[in-house]
Amino acid sequence: MNLLDRAEEVRFQFKKDLFKVKIDIQSVENFRLRYLGKKGYIPALFREFTSLSVEDKHKCGKILNQIKKESENSIDTLKQRLNSIGIDEDFFDYTLPGKLPRLGHLHPVTQTMNEICSIFREMGFGIEFGPEVETDYYNFQALNFPKNHPARDMQDTFFIGDSILLRTHTSPIQIRAMEKQKPPIRILAPGRVYRNEAISARSFCTFHQVEGLYVDENVTFCELKGTLEIFAKRYFGKDVKLRFRPSYFPFTEPSAEVDISCFICGGSGCRVCKHTGWLEILGCGMVDPNVFISVGIDPEKYTGYAFGMGPDRIAMLKYGIDDIRLFFEGDIRFLNQF
Amino acid sequence: MIVNTKWLEKYIDIPYSPEELEEHLTYIGLESKIQKSPVDKIRGVIIAEVLDVSPHPNADRLSICKVSTGFDMQDVVCGAPNVAKGQKVPLALLGTVLPNGMELKPVKIRGINSEGMICAEDELGISSDHSGIMVLDEKAPLGMELSEYLSGEGTSIDIDLTPNRPDCTSHIGVAREISILTQGELKIPEIKFKESEESTEDYIDVEIENIDGCPRYAARVIKNVKIAPSPQWLINHLKSVGIRSINNIVDASSFVLMETGQPLHTFDYRKIEGKKIVVRNAEEGELVETLDGIKRALSKDILLICDAKHPVAIAGVMGLSNSEITPETKDILIESAYFSSTTIRNGSKYLGLSTEASYRFERGVDPEGIINAVNRITDIIIELAGGKVCKGIVDKYPKKISPAEVKVRFKRINRLIGIDIEKSWVKEIFEKLGCRILKSDDESVQVLSPTWRPDLEREADYIEEVIRIYGMHKIPSAKRLQIKPSNEVNSRYDLIEKLRSILCSYGYFEVFNNSLVSEKQTQFTFKPVKPVKLRNPLSLDMAYLRTSLIPGLINTARRNINRRNCDLQIFELGFIQYFDPDSETHAMEILKFSVLITGAIEDEHWGYQIRKSDVFILKGVIEDLTHRFGIESLKFEKCKNNYFRHLLGTNINGKEFCYLGQINQEYLQSEWSIEVPIYVLDANASVLLDQAKFEIRYKPLPIYPAIERDVSILLPEKIPIEEVNQKIIREGGELLREVKFYDLYYGKNVDNGLKSITFNLVFQVADRTLKDKEVDKRMLAIHEVLKNDLNAKLR
Ligand SMILES: [Zn+2]
């Protein structure tokens, strides 16, 4: 159909001319008249349109209207530019603010967890989840916390029933994984945990953990140290120093706490590290044989290590946040910073 | 557990500075922290002697003291009631600034010049005591700086003990650990007292009814003691570890407790009836009054120490007031026992009462240290309070507590640690720890654990000891890791992170809300559920697990709106819990994500118009999101719920998946005082992740041109757009590739009851160029159907 072809041609020509128009009143007006004036190209197309059959009108109407609207808009824009820039046609206010793309923000603790997980995943760990409502068996007994042992005081627990509770750590996931899988087992267990502790700037009733577990033949303490060293250097920087000191967790034997040299003061002592030069960052140890026995893994054949850390605490240290409650308030002025 | 370096030095030479000791102890698993002493801050206060005290001529309560610092003599006006001739006292010199900020200047007090001040403890910042001036030991050297003198009292170190180390709840225990490090000799105090002719057996008999709860009980009687204040050395020792002095007998038992770790109890013997001690369980509900003056109801699991008639102590926790030592006490009965850790822990938990004694019994005391502890306290009491020691100890030991015999294989040590440890060194360390080596060869060593180390029961426990003493920091890190890569594909974790990051890419902020909520908040659900209640909540506001993420999001919105941040797009991903309808005990746990939007969804900008939140933004979110998880053509249904003004629901493959809508404004107003409209989306993340499909098959791009047409009609306004859409699709048939609804208009030029709508249609086939005629035919058919079926008018 001829009319449509001609219309497309007009549209094309218009766009070409548009770039060449000089920004002064006379040139813009001339340009307008050439296309939209009574004798201009576009009214000419419409005159032709009126003589079409009803059917053809349906086909062309939209296109013609579109071309007309486009041209009018372009010329309006040209006129606006004329008005806003006055006589200086080259003026361009580059100081006007840009339009920022609007993207959301992941929670700083999510970001921290993801960073931690991705480092260990590169080393070969997979990721497992588990329920937040747990049984006493998975949360304590299978992890070698005897009933009525003072070790249970290390973790103040919310109870739902006699033997149902909110998990106090993500270690039950280790038990569940070892029940399901055969060695070699290498998993990370991230998730939300609960402690029945008074709420303050330093402690909240819920927070997060990432735990790791590796079980195979001949897993050694040296290997545990090597793994955590790689993690710490990747996460905190290659100059970071690690300090392992013996500690006690019922599910590992031996157990250790790991400090890193304070990345704020470089080890010389500051308020954050309480003037010790060290920041406590994670707990770890070799899997206790009793834990292996409770999941039916032969402790003579297999050894393993486990470690755990708190992304909330790590994020607090990393970003200099002094109140854990900020993580749970959802203030966008806070979240916007990460 | 607090230890003091000077006290430790009674038992072991310490070649370290306090800072070095702090570090060494930390490295062997006793996490230590030096307690900063207020004494360090005192400057310009020196030790002086009061040579003479005379009354102030112009004031009754003041006195004029002549004091000597050894090199100078001064007159000082003093108001303290306890000042006396011959005392050694702290004297603040002129020009000194005291820790409380006071600066000393020459003053005239009621006409008398005062050239300094004799200080009370509060003025020095040592304690809050202002009852009188601080009086020092008579041997304190004249003219010495007070801080220097007091630092001679040693440095106190706070050890954060792990529950597996009962042996280190005492100075001797910590000294033993130091001796392992220094190879030094442990010095155990000698016992010097002499026994009298009278026999303890004639004064007391012990009967144990519950031998599991009390495997060993030892008692001794000392007659004719004199209750008195403790001497300064004892007061100072106890003070250095945070214990207040009471009298010589009670302090002696505290001292032995802190020295040996064995809790001791002293009774006023004359208040014990029938010359008898009975160890039995309490009766349910039995009432007693403990030393702290509180009446307590007991449970039948609590162990009691009784005389022939009445209870006199709650075993291992606290004595009762009826048998307490008083200034009138003459004869005393000493108890030194081994109570089972479970029994004491249960009792202490039940009563909500934790004491120095229960702390140690819970962890396990040394069953063989009991007799030594009795002898040690006897020695100290005789020294401080005189008296006659009855001969012998009544020692009932019906259930022998035997330490473990453990075989430790050298190969196993090396296999677990990853390096070879010298066998002879291992044996040496075991001996140092107090083990008896029963047998040893090239493969292994068989040891008998020391009675003070109930935690050493298995080979693994000994391997830990080897690492601990060897020094974890000295064990090398593996240079090559042997871990093999995991073979998981498309893990749950990846899908969850994908979900999070897509929501984030829409411009939404991730928030975390508390999972513990009030009962009221648990009612915000789409169908009634039974919420999970905590037995021991922190508060009523946090007594339940959340049943929906929405109340948390609304709460967060409210907080932000109150802080004048009214344009919000937030989401949370997390678990909700409620009871399985078929079970009273099994909690269902569902991974959800919820989105809340309110206000403008874009930042204001000079060149653009901003859009406001509405339901269709959320509808678009869920449509795009599901598309990205490989789920197409969601069907939405209108739903009803009192919390919502408009509510839509949708399923994925028949599984309830998502609700979205505008929250009822009256509810927002009355519950949350929110006045602006709020739109939320609530979705079951598990359903999305389970149904997700990532099998993308590429469709070849069309090579033949498309023909575009518009359908512009006037339509009765109550006919849903989807109905028109379906008709167009049906009539467009296989030629129609795409239908897009793009314009909706009411008002000017459109009659009442009608709406003007426009669809854009794209006709295209893969194998040829379409002819206009073919398309025209379809367009005609579409127009016909819309006219006839929906009463539409062409524009
Ligand atoms: Zn620091």
Side-chain angles (χ1 to χ4, degrees), chain A residues 262 265 269-270 273:
Chain A
C262 176
C265 62
C270 67
C273 60

Side-chain angles (χ1 to χ4, degrees), chain B residues 475-490:
Chain B
I475 294 172
S477 308
K479 288 286 164 287
R480 266 184 54 198
L481 303 184
Q482 55 147 350
I483 189 163
K484 304 163 189 84
S486 149
N487 49 11
E488 62 173 358
V489 225
N490 254 345

Side-chain angles (χ1 to χ4, degrees), chain A residues 13-293:
Chain A
Q13 197 60 44
F14 180 89
K15 279 184 185 157
K16 257 169 67 181
D17 288 354
L18 182 61
F19 286 105
K20 294 189 222 151
V21 182
K22 277 189 148 189
I23 307 295
D24 60 58
I25 296 171
Q26 200 51 50
S27 315
V28 171
E29 182 56 13
N30 287 344
F31 177 66
R32 189 188 71 84
L33 288 171
R34 185 154 73 245
Y35 284 91
L36 289 164
K38 272 197 176 131
K39 291 176 183 159
Y41 298 126
I42 292 169
L45 293 173
F46 274 91
R47 278 195 294 280
E48 212 176 310
F49 175 79
T50 51
S51 58
L52 291 182
S53 67
V54 177
E55 234 172 89
D56 289 343
K57 274 185 180 162
H58 265 299
K59 286 177 240 163
C60 298
K62 188 193 152 205
I63 307 279
L64 287 187
N65 277 320
Q66 229 172 37
I67 292 174
K68 189 173 172 216
K69 207 162 191 182
E70 278 171 19
S71 318
E72 284 169 353
N73 285 346
S74 301
I75 285 169
D76 279 350
T77 316
L78 283 180
K79 284 182 176 166
Q80 269 173 26
R81 277 174 65 192
L82 265 182
N83 292 337
S84 64
I85 63 178
I87 39 174
D88 182 358
E89 63 185 58
D90 287 331
F91 179 74
F92 167 67
D93 186 357
Y94 63 87
T95 64
L96 283 169
K99 174 136 173 74
L100 298 178
R102 189 172 167 111
L103 292 178
H105 293 255
L106 287 179
H107 195 283
V109 173
T110 300
Q111 293 186 34
T112 307
M113 284 221 262
N114 289 353
E115 286 158 12
I116 294 167
C117 288
S118 74
I119 294 171
F120 284 109
R121 288 184 99 194
E122 270 180 49
M123 294 188 222
F125 287 84
I127 293 182
E128 290 284 324
F129 295 102
E132 291 174 2
V133 175
E134 262 297 359
T135 60
D136 186 89
Y137 177 78
Y138 283 105
N139 197 73
F140 288 129
Q141 284 176 55
L143 286 159
N144 195 34
F145 282 80
K147 274 227 154 99
N148 298 313
H149 192 273
R152 290 205 175 193
D153 292 347
M154 294 162 88
Q155 306 190 351
D156 291 319
T157 311
F158 284 116
F159 285 96
I160 291 162
D162 287 339
S163 60
I164 305 174
L165 43 79
L166 291 181
R167 68 177 176 203
T168 55
H169 46 189
T170 56
S171 319
I173 299 174
Q174 295 183 17
I175 300 295
R176 289 174 181 277
M178 284 191 278
E179 283 178 343
K180 273 194 312 213
Q181 303 176 19
K182 290 207 159 36
I185 297 168
R186 50 276 195 247
I187 58 144
L188 285 180
R192 198 174 259 211
V193 301
Y194 299 84
R195 299 273 170 95
N196 194 348
E197 286 165 8
I199 293 174
S200 71
R202 300 192 50 79
S203 90
F204 198 64
C205 50
T206 175
F207 56 96
H208 301 80
Q209 274 195 344
V210 178
E211 294 207 341
L213 169 75
Y214 178 38
V215 180
D216 202 350
E217 291 173 34
N218 300 316
V219 177
T220 64
F221 192 80
C222 290
E223 174 130 357
L224 170 62
K225 277 191 85 169
T227 307
L228 294 178
E229 227 157 66
I230 291 174
F231 163 74
K233 286 184 194 301
R234 281 282 301 276
Y235 193 82
F236 297 104
K238 65 176 168 27
D239 296 328
V240 82
K241 283 192 249 334
L242 269 72
R243 178 170 87 163
F244 284 69
R245 47 187 173 78
S247 188
Y248 169 74
F249 309 110
F251 41 99
T252 51
E253 179 92 304
S255 306
E257 285 206 87
V258 182
D259 304 331
I260 58 162
S261 49
C262 176
F263 50 77
I264 292 151
C265 62
S268 58
C270 67
R271 201 178 55 84
V272 176
C273 60
K274 297 193 196 100
H275 304 282
T276 61
W278 296 101
L279 298 170
E280 194 178 313
I281 224 74
L282 56 84
C284 63
M286 304 304 291
V287 178
D288 193 287
N290 285 353
V291 174
F292 279 141
I293 290 164

Side-chain angles (χ1 to χ4, degrees), chain B residues 566-569 597-602 611-614 617 676-679:
Chain B
C566 304
D567 304 327
L568 300 168
Q569 295 90 53
I597 60 174
T598 179
I601 63 158
E602 281 165 341
R611 287 190 293 157
K612 290 259 179 203
S613 302
D614 65 30
I617 288 169
V676 295
I678 281 187
Y679 307 89

